[in-house]
Amino acid sequence: MHSLAMIFGILLVLGVVLDAFQTIILPRRPAGRFRITSLFYIVTWTPWAALARRISDDKQREQFYSIYGPLSLLLLLVVWAFLLINGFAFIYFALGSPFNDAMMTQFRGMRFEIWTDLYVSGTTLFTLGLGDVVPRLPVARAVIIFESGVGLGLVALVVGYLPVLYGAFSHREVSVALLDARAGSPPTAAELLSRHGFDGGDEALVILLAEWERWAAELLESHVSYPILCYYRSQHDNQSWLSALVAILDACALLIASQLPDAAHRVPTRQAQLTFAMARHAIVDLGHIFKLDPKIKLLAATPQDRLAPNDFRRLCAALRPTEIQLCGDPDSADRLSQLRAMYEPNAQALGHYLGLNMPLWITEPRKTDQWRRVANLRSTPHQPNATQSHISSNSTAATLHPGDHDH
């Protein structure tokens, strides 16, 4: 029995240390199906998402979803600490509970020895150093020293892990927030392209797509290394990293699929191809992270059309001022369909798993859209009322008549 306890304890400690190394330190996606972190998120996320889907109010549901990311991080640390305490307790038990415990001298039996082993393991892991339980064997002292080092290392990893995690989250959300004025909220491809239909808009669009190409690469690097970031929600209910990424993919697909009238408009298409490739790479790899391949294959076989015929006609009408020729060209429509099939199943599978809504291709403009309010003020200059003046009636200038200055 003691031999089994020793083997189990060593495997438990090594499993936690390896899992913490792969989750926090290893910069690439770890392999293996039986990782503690993966099992933890499978066990906790499935019931959490099921409860969230039962909430009918959109704001309350998003609030419930938003709690999971930070809470799961704390719970994961608790799980690691709990498993380490039990793993070292099994090792102490396998050594015959070699401790002088003044409190337990009046008690005899295996269950009291186990409580002493758990107490020693807990106080050692958290480096309390109370000294009320003294080891009798040299090997027990060596294990205690090793466990205290593991405890210090766990604390150091947590202290270093949190700033990196929240730094990546904050960096991700800055670009998502900036897209609000450029593509609406929630963002749509039609709004993004129509708001760049001004003189010099092509150059601005190239700069924007280049920024999102880099953003997608940074998203791929950070979220593959730290998949927990995918559970972190944006600060606003109508924004999310996934809807922003899909809106950019939609806009790139429209630019690639459409027929542009002259060579001057081919520059956005080139950048659109680069951004599309990088953004699709990110969304495909994140689907692999959460093992959504069966769901993706099912959606690819029975696609859920995000662009109904009526919406397609509205999209063509909205893009007409931008000189993007989409309707009336069968080749463009066919190219758009092929491009959508390359990323929409992956995006829909991720959205269903994470509880994030897919953006529409085109929506009715919202009355509360701040960008449109500012644009309308700019495009319709205020005409001053002839009966009103910013000059006070008591002002000398207001009472002067033509010719008064001659006197």
Side-chain angles (χ1 to χ4, degrees), residues 275-343:
T275 304
F276 181 89
M278 191 67 253
R280 180 184 177 274
H281 186 189
I283 211 167
V284 169
D285 275 23
L286 289 176
H288 295 327
I289 289 289
F290 296 107
K291 298 179 175 59
L292 300 178
D293 297 306
K295 180 72 173 179
I296 294 171
K297 291 180 180 179
L298 180 62
L299 289 171
T302 57
Q304 302 175 3
D305 195 3
R306 294 174 52 231
L307 188 59
N310 187 37
D311 292 334
F312 182 75
R313 288 190 291 270
R314 290 175 55 213
L315 179 63
C316 293
L319 295 179
R320 194 170 294 121
T322 65
E323 300 182 352
I324 297 178
Q325 300 175 4
L326 188 64
C327 290
D329 182 11
D331 292 336
S332 296
D334 183 62
R335 283 195 296 269
L336 180 62
S337 178
Q338 295 181 35
L339 289 168
R340 290 171 54 198
M342 295 174 65
Y343 66 91

Side-chain angles (χ1 to χ4, degrees), residues 30-47:
R33 296 183 178 181
F34 301 103
R35 295 180 57 240
I36 296 172
T37 301
S38 300
L39 294 175
F40 168 79
Y41 280 104
I42 291 174
V43 170
T44 57
W45 174 248
T46 302

Side-chain angles (χ1 to χ4, degrees), residues 6 61 67 75 90 108-109 149 159 185 199 307 315 344 376 381:
M6 177 65 74
R61 182 171 60 253
I67 298 173
L75 290 178
F90 277 111
R108 299 294 180 186
V159 172
S185 185
D199 292 338
L307 188 59
L315 179 63
E344 280 191 345
N376 291 336

Side-chain angles (χ1 to χ4, degrees), residues 65-335:
Y65 270 125
S66 66
I67 298 173
Y68 178 80
L71 181 61
S72 66
L73 175 60
L74 298 177
L75 290 178
L76 178 61
L77 299 176
V78 171
V79 168
W80 282 342
F82 175 79
L83 294 178
L84 283 174
I85 290 172
N86 282 271
F88 280 105
F90 277 111
I91 295 175
Y92 296 138
F93 175 77
L95 295 175
S97 301
F99 302 106
N100 291 327
D101 188 353
M103 183 178 293
M104 292 296 179
T105 54
Q106 55 183 335
F107 302 104
R108 299 294 180 186
M110 182 183 299
R111 62 175 182 172
F112 298 111
E113 293 178 351
I114 292 176
W115 282 115
T116 299
D117 298 333
L118 287 171
Y119 174 75
V120 172
S121 180
T123 56
T124 303
L125 184 71
F126 295 112
T127 63
L128 295 178
L130 298 178
D132 54 339
V133 179
V134 181
R136 298 192 304 263
L137 298 178
V139 65
R141 294 184 177 183
V143 175
I144 287 176
I145 294 174
F146 178 73
E147 184 179 4
S148 62
V150 172
L152 288 173
L154 182 64
V155 172
L157 286 178
V158 172
V159 172
Y161 181 49
L162 291 178
V164 172
L165 197 66
Y166 279 90
F169 167 74
S170 177
H171 186 70
R172 182 192 77 184
E173 292 301 309
V174 168
S175 295
V176 175
L178 287 174
L179 196 63
D180 186 8
R182 291 163 172 81
S185 185
T188 63
E191 196 70 20
L192 175 64
L193 296 177
S194 63
R195 291 187 183 185
H196 286 80
F198 56 88
D199 292 338
D202 292 337
E203 290 78 7
L205 187 58
V206 169
I207 294 173
L208 177 67
L209 293 180
E211 292 175 353
W212 276 87
E213 180 189 3
R214 178 170 292 276
W215 182 89
E218 293 173 349
L219 180 85
L220 176 64
E221 185 275 333
S222 60
H223 287 51
V224 167
S225 299
Y226 307 113
I228 188 177
L229 287 170
C230 295
Y231 298 104
Y232 278 65
R233 320 290 275 207
S234 297
Q235 295 178 347
H236 301 283
D237 295 341
N238 53 359
Q239 295 176 348
S240 74
W241 64 268
L242 184 60
S243 64
L245 184 62
V246 174
I248 293 295
L249 280 166
D250 291 342
C252 292
L254 286 173
L255 289 171
I256 297 170
S258 62
Q259 291 287 348
L260 299 176
D262 54 55
H265 290 79
R266 293 175 187 171
V267 178
T269 305
R270 169 61 179 170
Q271 183 58 54
Q273 293 173 350
L274 297 173
T275 304
F276 181 89
M278 191 67 253
R280 180 184 177 274
H281 186 189
I283 211 167
V284 169
D285 275 23
L286 289 176
H288 295 327
I289 289 289
F290 296 107
K291 298 179 175 59
L292 300 178
D293 297 306
K295 180 72 173 179
I296 294 171
K297 291 180 180 179
L298 180 62
L299 289 171
T302 57
Q304 302 175 3
D305 195 3
R306 294 174 52 231
L307 188 59
N310 187 37
D311 292 334
F312 182 75
R313 288 190 291 270
R314 290 175 55 213
L315 179 63
C316 293
L319 295 179
R320 194 170 294 121
T322 65
E323 300 182 352
I324 297 178
Q325 300 175 4
L326 188 64
C327 290
D329 182 11
D331 292 336
S332 296
D334 183 62
R335 283 195 296 269

